[in-house]
């Protein structure tokens, strides 16, 4: 669509439009009219829209759509635009409907006045107008027109045009979100859509099914085989929706194909059987390597396999997760090459693919081990891609390839990217802890890095060495001495704390060095970081217990320094240690129990830390989902169901008169030497693969050729990866000319069929496939000239960017945590994040309209994870314009990029309008207020957001044994209690959890005798436990457990106030 160039004002007011009478509808720029106070905004466009000439209306609509495409607010023109919905010009009418779809929800009152026009347009002879009218009607979010929308959807479902039926399927979720009471009636409409055999409608119908009634799996039984057979012809995004739905269906209707097999088992010869010759016989189906599956289960796996060659990365990922979740382990190797191929795409695609590969390799190392060099880091990779590749390489490390991986890690240590170097050192430590044969060599290399000139490298090396020494049965005395000598030159707090901890843990092994180090650290105690001060206190305590006569004075000196420290944690720690180690002893008094057992308390054996992948805990989420990518339960996410123990009835999928002839039709046998891309163990699947390969050659070979050329032009690809792809590249080069001719012919034929989508895969009938020789001239293949259909005219009109009025992602996109979902209803006993039970959280006004010059801002804690960083609290800012003028250019000026993630700027905020934006804030698990600067119309305002501690935690689901284990570990100084709390009148055991969950974002663990809540802090990830016990007399006791004393004490105050308030 051509959009006319706009003037500097952005309103299209400086152009002279001449038509017929040469009328000037715009002010002359040279006259200065646009700078006068009486200049009317959009006045020229309104005059053009009111004109009687179609060319002026079309020009005005092009400018308006151009403004909308650039993100400018054109809502003031709604009244002038909506009048032209009755225009006789088809081009004007289409642009008007595009505009109405964008602003119908914002201008509901004016849109309601034109409902009769929309209803008449539903009877228009043009299918595009009917579809646009239904789209606009479903965009009006007013409950009074629900009956009208329902009637329009029912009529459109029976429309002759598949495009209108597709639009009706998209309107069903909109109506359901507006009025959920219409679910039963909408399900009847869905049944009719699911019966539709048109591939253009099929993907949209399944999408509507997933939004409205995903639990009604019985509606899919009779359509299962049809969906499997026609899956390859559906549009790409429809394929993604159908594959995800069929994955869940297969998990509920088929038995586990890997039952009884060892977890993580994979075929070692994954490369050898990727390309196989067509020499299998009929007895292969009985081979023990191929497990016996339900025929419908095998049908799904067979028909999704060709989609691994799709150009769409989302389709390939969908098929990959399907094979990982429902396919036998022997067949899961078929997705490896397809996923490795996706790593050649954009960096956004690489991040998602590598996250899925990292999660897979934690269970099955053998799948991706042959492609080890594909995960080597390139200098052009961004930091987050480098870190993900390091994760995969570490997961793939075995005794056979560890030497290659360690040599690669050694080259990464010279990178200028400090974050990447730190991650490399951590990866070396993980390899050393998991493979005992290289532990000593890795430890020696890390000790060598202690003399590195870069302070960050030294600091990270110290931390990793400390973790490795904890796993060693015999401590390395020389390494500890070497680290003690480096202590004065190291300024990184974590490194200094690690060295002091090692000296305290092994102080008896170095009796001459540890006291001298303590003496040196005592001199600089006041200038040290808090974490270093705590380790100095620990070192002094252990030295006092191991050699009391030599270090008693030095220990007392350190305790006295800590006694007057500014941090109350350090003061409390010193007071506790002094009371235990150096108690005041009176004559004749026996030492206390703590003093008598002080050595067992502080010098006890400590279990070594576990070095495991950070992707280990993502097994709970389905591969390829947003929840898996951000490692948090997102809005709309549904847990993947478990396989049934007993096979359900298979006859429910039998449909009279239906034959899956498409994947099983017989064709002439190829020659023995011909190679096929994918092969399976059974003869039926072998024939289906041949048919799929022949039928899809027109659309698959051209994209594969493009990907081959792209890979050859890349200088950074490894030699082994190029060799592994050489076979497929040779096959593509032999048939490139033929595939190009067939592809062009297929495109010409596709324009004649109105019911097929533009990007659908065209299949050749069996008769034509048998009779047509491979060298048919192009003129004989297509005798019709391409005719541009009405569907082709709408290609540029269906992809209008959605409104950005809300910061929350929609459920269909897998957004943030669900709103209003019962967090305690989820099953499972694992430890993992869950949705908030009460949303939203604490809300406060951070800028009033007087101070902001008419702009008021309210901050609300959404209690959902922030997409940029899970450590950040997602705070929704609500902007309200109370002034008489439009406010322009609202943006955030952030000085600390680590503590804030700014929101996208808001271009315009009309008078009386309200806009929402979400900002991410890392409060560092403290009550210190966050200060930011908001600029609007060139004026800057300072905002101060003071959080409540109840908003700085997130709910964490755990079972009762896990809860009791954490509770036992968080005793003593990590426990804050208060008893004798007199509950307010009307408060009961059933209403008390709601008040507590409203105050703090926690998860309730069901228990009969008490109220148990659990969660973790946002920034630090410290476990938070709350136990409330109610006595018979109306009094209650409250206990808060957390290793951060500040969080525990402040949360105790907030929860106490919530219990005392009236319900």
């Amino acid at each position: 669509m051509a959009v006319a160039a706009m003037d500097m004002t952005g309103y299209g007011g400086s152009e002279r439009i001449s038509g017929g009478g040469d009328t000037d509808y715009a002010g002359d720029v040279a006259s200065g009219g646009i700078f006068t106070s009486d200049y009317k905004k959009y006045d020229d466009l309104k005059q053009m829209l009111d004109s009687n000439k179609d060319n002026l209306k079309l020009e005005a609509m092009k400018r308006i759509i151009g403004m909308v495409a650039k993100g400018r607010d054109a809502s003031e023109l709604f009244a002038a635009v909506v009048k032209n919905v009755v225009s006789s010009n088809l081009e004007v009418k289409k642009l008007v409907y595009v505009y109405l779809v964008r602003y119908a929800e914002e201008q509901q009152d004016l849109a309601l006045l034109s409902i009769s026009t929309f209803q008449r347009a539903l009877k228009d002879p043009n299918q595009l107008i009917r579809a646009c009218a239904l789209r606009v009607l479903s965009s009006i979010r007013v409950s009074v027109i629900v009956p009208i929308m329902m009637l329009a959807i029912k009529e459109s479902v029976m429309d002759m045009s598949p495009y209108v039926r597709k639009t009706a399927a998209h309107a069903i979720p909109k109506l359901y979100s507006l009025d959920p009471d219409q679910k039963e009636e909408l399900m009847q409409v869905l049944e009719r859509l699911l019966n539709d055999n048109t591939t253009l409608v099929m993907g949209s119908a399944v999408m509507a099914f997933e939004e409205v009634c995903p639990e009604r799996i019985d509606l899919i039984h009779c359509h299962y085989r049809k969906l499997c057979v026609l899956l390859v012809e559906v549009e790409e995004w429809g394929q993604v929706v159908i594959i995800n739905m069929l994955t869940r269906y297969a998990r509920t209707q088929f038995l586990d194909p890997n039952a009884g097999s060892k977890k993580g088992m994979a075929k070692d010869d994954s490369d050898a059987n990727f390309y196989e010759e067509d020499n299998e016989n009929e007895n292969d189906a009985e081979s023990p390597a191929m497990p016996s599956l339900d025929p419908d289960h095998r049908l799904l796996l067979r028909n999704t396999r060709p989609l691994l060659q799709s150009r769409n990365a989302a389709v390939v990922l969908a098929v990959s997760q399907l094979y990982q979740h429902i396919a036998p382990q022997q067949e899961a190797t078929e997705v490896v090459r397809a996923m490795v191929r996706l790593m050649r795409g954009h960096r956004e695609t690489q991040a998602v693919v590598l996250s899925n590969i990292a999660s897979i390799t934690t269970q099955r190392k053998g799948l991706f081990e042959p492609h080890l060099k594909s995960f080597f880091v390139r200098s052009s990779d961004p930091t987050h891609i480098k870190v993900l590749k390091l994760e995969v390489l570490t997961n793939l490390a075995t005794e056979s390839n560890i030497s290659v991986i360690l040599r690669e890690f050694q080259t990464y240590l010279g990178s200028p990217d400090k974050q990447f170097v730190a991650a490399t050192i951590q990866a070396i430590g993980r390899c050393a802890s998991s493979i005992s044969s290289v532990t000593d060599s890795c430890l020696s290399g890390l000790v060598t890095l202690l003399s590195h000139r870069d302070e960050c490298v030294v600091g990270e090396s110290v931390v990793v060495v400390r973790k490795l020494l904890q796993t060693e049965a015999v401590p390395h005395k020389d390494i500890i001495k070497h680290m003690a000598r480096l202590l004065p030159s190291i300024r990184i707090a974590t490194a200094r704390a690690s060295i002091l901890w090692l000296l305290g843990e092994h102080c008896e092994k170095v009796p001459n060095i540890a006291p001298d180090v303590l003496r040196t650290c005592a001199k600089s105690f006041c200038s040290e970081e808090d974490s270093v001060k705590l380790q100095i206190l620990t070192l002094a305590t252990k030295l006092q217990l191991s050699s009391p006569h030599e270090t008693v004075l030095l220990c007392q000196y350190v305790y006295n320094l800590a006694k007057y420290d500014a941090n109350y944690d350090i003061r409390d720690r010193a007071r506790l240690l002094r009371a235990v180690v150096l108690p005041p002893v009176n004559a004749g008094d026996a030492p206390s129990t703590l003093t008598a057992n002080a050595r067992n308390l502080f010098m006890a054996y400590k279990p070594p830390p576990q070095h495991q992948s950070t992707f280990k805990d993502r097994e709970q989420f389905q591969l390829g989902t947003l929840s898996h990518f951000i490692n948090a339960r997102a809005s709309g996410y549904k847990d993947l169901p478990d396989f049934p123990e007993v096979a359900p009835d298979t006859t429910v999928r039998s449909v009279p008169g239906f034959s899956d002839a498409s994947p099983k039709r017989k064709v002439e046998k190829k020659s023995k030497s011909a190679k096929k891309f994918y092969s399976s163990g059974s003869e039926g699947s072998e024939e289906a693969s041949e048919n799929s390969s022949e039928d899809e050659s027109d659309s698959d070979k051209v994209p594969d050729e493009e990907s081959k050329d792209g890979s050859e032009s890349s200088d950074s690809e490894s030699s082994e990866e190029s060799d592994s792809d050489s076979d497929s590249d040779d096959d593509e080069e032999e048939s490139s000319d033929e595939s190009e001719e067939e592809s062009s012919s297929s495109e010409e034929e596709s324009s004649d069929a109105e019911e097929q989508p533009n990007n659908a895969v065209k299949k050749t009938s069996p008769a034509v496939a048998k009779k047509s020789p491979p060298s048919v001239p192009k003129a004989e293949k297509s005798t019709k000239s391409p005719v541009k259909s009405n569907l082709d005219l709408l290609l540029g009109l269906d992809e209008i960017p959605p409104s950005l009025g809300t910061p929350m992602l929609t459920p269909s996109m897998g957004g943030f945590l669900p709103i209003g979902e019962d967090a305690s209803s989820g099953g499972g006993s694992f430890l993992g994040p869950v949705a908030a039970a009460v949303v939203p959280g604490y809300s406060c006004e951070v800028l009033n309209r007087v101070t902001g010059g008419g702009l008021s801002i309210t901050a609300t804690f959404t209690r959902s994870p922030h997409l940029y960083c899970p450590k950040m609290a997602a705070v929704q800012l609500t902007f309200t314009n109370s002034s008489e003028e439009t406010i322009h250019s609202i943006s955030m000026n952030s000085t600390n990029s680590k503590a804030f993630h700014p929101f996208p700027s808001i271009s315009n905020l009309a008078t009386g309008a309200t806009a929402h934006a979400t900002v991410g804030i890392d409060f560092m698990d403290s009550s210190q207020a966050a200060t930011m600067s908001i600029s609007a119309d060139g004026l800057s305002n300072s905002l101060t957001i003071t959080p409540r501690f109840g908003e700085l935690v997130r709910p964490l689901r755990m079972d009762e044994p896990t809860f009791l284990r954490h509770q036992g570990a968080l005793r003593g100084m990590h426990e804050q209690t208060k008893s004798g709390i007199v509950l307010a009148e009307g408060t009961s055991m059933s209403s008390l959890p709601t008040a507590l969950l409203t105050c703090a974002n926690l998860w309730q663990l069901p228990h009969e005798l008490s109220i148990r809540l659990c969660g973790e802090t946002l920034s630090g990830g410290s476990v938070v436990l709350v136990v409330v016990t109610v006595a018979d007399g109306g009094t209650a006791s409250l206990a808060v457990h957390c290793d951060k004393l500040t969080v525990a004490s402040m949360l105790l105050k907030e929860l106490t106030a919530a219990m005392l308030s009236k319900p």
Side-chain angles (χ1 to χ4, degrees):
M1 179 190 306
V3 180
M6 301 177 62
D7 62 305
M8 294 177 60
T9 62
Y11 305 132
S14 63
E15 249 187 36
R16 294 177 179 270
I17 306 301
S18 298
D22 294 332
T23 306
D24 185 8
Y25 290 98
D28 188 4
V29 178
S31 65
I34 62 174
F35 299 104
T36 60
S37 58
D38 58 347
Y39 177 77
K40 295 183 179 179
K41 190 176 182 181
Y42 302 134
D43 186 59
D44 56 339
L45 293 176
K46 293 179 181 179
Q47 294 183 27
M48 294 169 66
L49 291 172
D50 292 338
S51 173
N52 294 327
K53 299 180 179 179
D54 289 337
N55 61 334
L56 295 180
K57 292 182 179 180
L58 183 60
E59 183 68 22
M61 288 306 305
K62 288 182 179 180
R63 295 187 187 181
I64 294 172
I65 298 302
M67 294 167 56
V68 174
K70 294 179 180 179
R72 298 175 181 174
D73 186 16
S75 57
E76 296 183 10
L77 294 167
F78 190 90
V81 172
V82 74
K83 292 186 297 184
N84 292 278
V85 74
V86 296
S87 174
S88 58
N89 188 292
L90 182 61
E91 296 297 326
V92 174
K93 184 178 290 188
K94 288 192 296 185
L95 293 178
V96 168
Y97 276 115
V98 170
Y99 176 89
L100 294 179
V101 170
R102 170 63 179 82
Y103 288 106
E105 188 172 352
E106 298 180 11
Q107 304 286 339
Q108 296 179 358
D109 295 336
L110 293 176
L112 287 174
L113 300 177
S114 304
I115 281 186
S116 59
T117 305
F118 302 148
Q119 289 180 287
R120 288 195 301 269
L122 292 173
K123 306 294 184 181
D124 194 275
N126 193 312
Q127 60 173 350
L128 304 181
I129 299 302
R130 298 198 302 272
C132 288
L134 179 60
R135 188 180 294 115
V136 174
L137 195 61
S138 61
S139 300
I140 303 176
R141 315 291 294 169
V142 180
S143 58
V144 296
I145 66 168
V146 167
I148 300 177
M149 292 175 59
M150 178 62 73
L151 182 61
I153 291 175
K154 289 183 177 180
E155 293 179 354
S156 300
V157 165
M158 296 181 291
D159 197 279
M160 295 295 295
S161 170
Y163 182 73
V164 177
R165 300 199 298 271
K166 177 185 178 72
T167 306
H170 291 167
I172 290 176
K174 298 180 182 179
L175 179 56
Y176 176 71
S177 62
L178 183 62
D179 187 5
D181 295 336
Q182 304 292 328
K183 181 175 181 178
E184 294 297 330
E185 200 167 354
L186 288 175
M187 286 172 57
Q188 299 177 5
V189 178
L190 270 175
E191 290 185 25
R192 184 177 183 86
L193 282 175
L194 290 173
N195 287 323
D196 200 320
N197 295 327
T198 307
T199 56
L200 184 64
V201 183
M202 197 174 298
S204 302
V206 174
M207 180 273 299
F209 167 80
E210 287 285 272
E211 292 287 339
V212 177
C213 53
E215 72 283 355
R216 288 293 306 275
I217 205 72
D218 56 293
L219 297 179
I220 304 297
H221 289 323
C222 57
H223 307 293
Y224 171 81
R225 295 176 182 175
K226 178 187 68 175
L227 292 174
C228 293
V229 170
L230 299 180
L231 179 61
V232 72
E233 298 182 2
V234 181
E235 58 182 349
E236 292 174 339
W237 295 112
Q239 290 173 348
V240 174
V241 175
I242 295 176
I243 291 173
N244 290 330
M245 187 273 295
L246 291 179
T247 302
R248 302 177 60 83
Y249 180 88
R251 295 276 292 198
T252 59
Q253 301 299 316
F254 304 133
L255 295 179
D256 188 359
N258 301 312
S261 62
K262 293 184 178 179
K263 188 176 182 181
M265 183 185 68
K267 297 178 74 173
D268 295 331
D269 54 347
S270 57
D271 283 348
N273 57 14
F274 189 77
Y275 294 93
E276 288 186 80
E277 294 186 359
D278 191 8
N279 56 1
E280 299 175 353
N281 52 40
E282 297 291 340
N283 296 328
D284 287 342
E286 303 298 329
S287 175
M290 296 299 299
S292 177
L293 297 179
D294 186 280
D296 290 327
H297 194 171
R298 176 61 63 188
L299 175 68
L300 175 60
L301 296 177
R302 184 175 64 239
N303 285 14
T304 54
R305 186 184 296 114
L307 295 180
L308 290 172
Q309 306 176 55
S310 175
R311 293 172 293 179
N312 193 316
V315 176
V316 178
L317 276 179
V319 177
S320 301
Q321 64 86 22
L322 181 139
Y323 267 77
Q324 291 298 322
H325 290 304
I326 71 168
Q329 293 179 349
Q330 295 89 335
E331 300 182 30
T333 57
E334 300 187 7
V335 305
V336 174
R337 283 181 178 267
M339 297 187 73
V340 173
R341 174 174 62 86
L342 294 182
M343 293 172 54
R344 305 173 185 172
H346 300 288
R347 59 181 59 181
E348 295 82 4
T349 303
Q350 292 182 36
V352 178
V353 173
L354 285 171
S355 298
N356 286 270
I357 294 177
S359 183
I360 295 173
T361 51
T362 58
Q363 302 176 1
R364 305 178 182 179
K365 290 186 178 182
L367 288 180
F368 292 90
E369 188 176 355
H371 305 274
L372 181 68
K373 292 187 178 181
S374 299
F375 302 101
F376 284 177
V377 175
R378 304 174 183 175
S379 58
S380 59
D381 289 336
T383 302
H384 68 285
I385 298 296
K386 294 178 180 177
V387 174
L388 287 172
K389 286 186 175 181
L390 280 177
E391 186 71 29
V392 175
L393 288 174
T394 309
N395 293 341
L396 296 177
T398 59
E399 292 187 358
S400 60
N401 60 22
I402 187 62
S403 58
V404 178
I405 294 177
L406 289 180
R407 282 198 302 268
E408 188 72 13
F409 285 171
Q410 188 175 0
T411 61
Y412 298 161
L413 296 176
S415 173
D417 190 347
K418 305 305 177 187
Q419 182 181 352
F420 173 54
V421 173
T424 303
I425 296 174
Q426 294 176 5
I428 294 175
R430 279 185 54 198
C431 292
S433 62
S434 60
I435 303 176
S436 57
S437 60
V438 297
T439 301
D440 292 337
S441 58
C442 290
L443 195 56
S444 301
L446 291 173
V447 172
T448 306
L449 292 177
L450 296 178
S451 304
H452 200 274
R453 63 179 181 274
D454 192 344
E455 200 174 64
C456 297
V457 176
V458 176
E460 196 66 34
S461 301
V462 169
V463 176
V464 175
V465 168
R466 190 259 299 175
K467 293 180 180 179
L468 289 178
L469 291 181
Q470 285 184 258
T471 62
E472 292 292 312
V474 180
H476 294 260
K477 184 177 179 180
D478 297 336
I479 297 178
I480 297 176
K481 291 181 179 180
H482 181 60
M483 295 173 68
R485 286 193 294 267
L486 293 175
L487 184 62
S489 61
I490 297 177
R491 303 311 309 165
I492 299 178
T494 55
R496 291 177 64 85
S498 298
I499 295 176
L500 291 174
W501 184 90
L502 277 176
L503 289 172
E505 190 69 14
H506 307 289
C507 59
E508 296 179 349
K509 307 296 181 182
V510 285
N512 298 327
I513 297 178
D516 188 63
V517 171
L518 179 61
R519 178 186 57 80
T520 305
C521 294
K523 294 181 180 180
S524 60
F525 183 86
C526 298
S527 59
E528 297 285 357
E529 296 288 339
D530 292 343
S531 60
V532 181
K533 291 179 181 179
L534 292 174
Q535 292 303 326
I536 293 175
L537 288 174
T538 303
L539 176 60
T541 302
K542 293 181 178 180
L543 286 175
Q544 173 63 23
L545 295 173
S546 60
S547 55
H549 300 290
E550 300 176 3
T551 58
V552 59
L553 296 178
L554 188 57
C555 183
Q556 290 178 352
Y557 176 70
V558 172
Y559 286 163
N560 290 332
L561 289 176
K563 181 179 179 181
Y564 300 101
D565 193 83
N567 191 316
Y568 55 82
D569 282 342
I570 298 175
R571 297 197 303 269
D572 294 344
R573 178 74 63 87
R575 187 180 300 110
L576 171 67
L577 296 177
R578 183 192 292 272
V580 175
V581 180
L582 299 174
V585 179
N586 299 326
D589 292 347
S592 63
T593 304
L594 286 177
T595 304
N597 296 277
R599 186 175 181 84
N600 296 332
L601 183 64
F602 293 101
M603 307 290 287
Y605 170 76
K606 300 172 181 60
Q610 295 181 353
H611 300 270
Q612 63 180 9
S613 172
T614 56
F615 285 80
K616 190 69 175 177
D617 56 345
R618 302 196 185 192
E619 300 174 2
Q620 55 181 307
F621 299 117
Q622 183 179 355
L623 290 176
T625 59
L626 178 63
S627 299
H628 178 273
F629 185 71
I630 65 176
N631 197 22
R633 189 172 295 272
S635 176
Y637 176 78
K638 306 177 186 65
D639 290 321
L640 202 61
D642 296 329
F643 284 102
E645 298 181 358
V646 180
D649 185 14
T650 60
T651 59
V652 295
R653 290 183 291 275
S654 300
V655 180
F658 177 81
S659 174
D660 53 344
S662 178
K664 292 185 177 180
R665 58 175 181 255
K666 300 295 182 179
V667 296
E668 293 182 356
K669 198 71 175 178
K670 287 185 177 181
S671 63
K672 293 286 185 177
S673 60
K675 294 183 179 180
K676 59 184 180 178
F677 195 77
Y678 293 97
S679 62
S680 61
S682 62
E683 181 68 22
S685 61
E686 175 183 347
E687 294 173 357
S689 300
E690 290 179 11
N691 291 328
S692 177
S693 176
E694 290 179 0
D695 296 338
E696 300 302 320
S697 61
D698 297 349
S699 59
D700 289 339
K701 291 183 180 179
V702 175
D704 291 342
E705 186 71 15
E706 294 174 357
S707 64
K708 176 185 76 67
D709 297 339
S711 63
E712 290 178 354
S713 63
S714 176
D715 298 334
S716 56
E717 291 291 336
S718 62
S719 60
E720 290 190 5
E721 187 173 349
S722 300
D723 295 339
S724 65
D725 296 338
S726 60
D727 295 338
S728 60
D729 294 343
D730 294 340
D731 295 339
E732 291 168 358
E733 291 174 358
E734 293 175 359
S735 58
S736 60
D737 298 336
E738 179 184 351
S739 62
E740 289 176 0
E741 293 179 0
E742 293 176 358
S743 177
S744 62
S745 175
S746 175
E747 291 176 359
E748 293 175 358
E749 292 173 0
S750 64
S751 63
D752 299 333
E754 187 177 87
E755 296 184 356
Q756 297 293 338
N758 290 334
N759 58 349
V761 181
K762 298 293 180 182
K763 286 194 173 183
T764 308
S765 62
V768 176
K770 292 182 179 180
K771 297 179 181 179
S772 299
S775 60
V776 178
K778 183 177 180 180
E780 296 179 7
K781 292 185 179 179
S782 177
T783 57
K784 296 182 181 181
S785 60
V787 179
K788 197 170 184 180
S789 65
N790 291 333
L791 184 59
D792 295 329
L793 296 175
L794 197 68
L795 283 177
L797 305 182
D798 196 28
E799 298 179 358
I800 303 303
S803 173
L804 301 179
T806 172
M808 306 295 288
L809 295 180
T810 60
S812 61
M813 296 296 293
F816 298 116
L817 293 179
I819 302 301
E821 181 181 340
D822 187 3
S824 63
S825 62
S829 60
F830 57 86
L831 178 68
V834 293
V838 178
V839 289
Y842 170 64
S843 179
C844 62
E845 185 181 40
V846 294
L847 181 67
N848 57 51
R849 61 181 183 178
V850 178
T851 307
L855 177 65
S856 60
I857 304 177
T858 302
T860 303
F861 288 83
T862 62
R863 295 188 173 183
S864 59
H866 196 268
L867 188 60
Y868 176 76
C869 179
K871 294 183 178 181
M872 291 184 174
V875 181
Q876 179 175 295
L877 301 180
T878 303
F879 301 87
T880 303
N881 184 6
S882 303
S883 64
E884 298 180 355
E885 298 179 355
T886 301
I887 300 178
H888 303 279
S889 184
I890 303 175
S891 61
M892 174 181 170
N893 303 322
S894 176
T895 56
N896 188 356
S897 59
K898 294 183 179 180
F900 295 94
H901 184 264
F903 58 86
S905 60
I906 301 174
S907 58
N908 297 305
L909 186 61
T911 301
T914 300
H916 303 278
T918 301
V919 60
I921 305 176
D922 189 358
F923 289 98
M924 304 295 183
D925 293 341
S926 67
S927 59
Q928 185 177 0
T931 304
M932 67 185 75
S933 178
I934 300 292
S935 62
D937 278 340
L939 302 178
S940 179
N941 297 287
S942 179
L943 304 185
T944 301
I945 301 178
T946 303
R948 292 182 178 178
F949 270 92
E951 305 298 336
L952 301 184
V953 295
R954 56 170 161 252
L956 192 68
R957 177 167 54 187
M958 60 180 67
D959 53 11
E960 187 170 357
T962 306
F963 185 92
L964 296 177
R965 178 168 55 84
H966 284 291
Q967 186 180 16
L970 297 174
R971 294 290 187 183
M973 60 190 305
H974 300 307
E975 180 181 13
Q976 298 288 330
T977 60
K978 187 171 183 179
S979 58
I981 303 175
V982 180
L983 300 178
E985 184 179 356
T987 304
S988 61
M989 191 71 174
S990 59
S991 62
L992 191 57
T994 303
L996 296 175
L997 294 175
T998 304
C999 178
N1001 186 19
L1002 300 172
W1003 182 76
Q1004 183 180 2
L1005 176 65
H1007 194 263
E1008 296 180 357
L1009 303 179
S1010 61
I1011 301 174
R1012 296 182 177 182
L1013 309 177
C1014 47
E1016 63 179 355
T1017 59
L1018 285 177
S1019 184
S1022 300
V1023 176
V1024 179
L1025 305 178
V1026 177
V1027 179
V1028 179
T1029 305
V1030 180
D1032 296 336
T1035 60
S1037 60
L1038 173 64
V1040 181
H1041 305 263
C1042 184
D1043 57 359
K1044 293 189 176 181
L1045 300 182
T1046 305
V1047 175
S1049 58
M1050 296 301 295
L1051 195 57
L1052 180 72
K1053 294 181 180 179
E1054 295 181 4
L1055 293 176
T1056 303
M1059 295 172 64
L1060 295 176
S1061 61
K1062 293 184 179 182

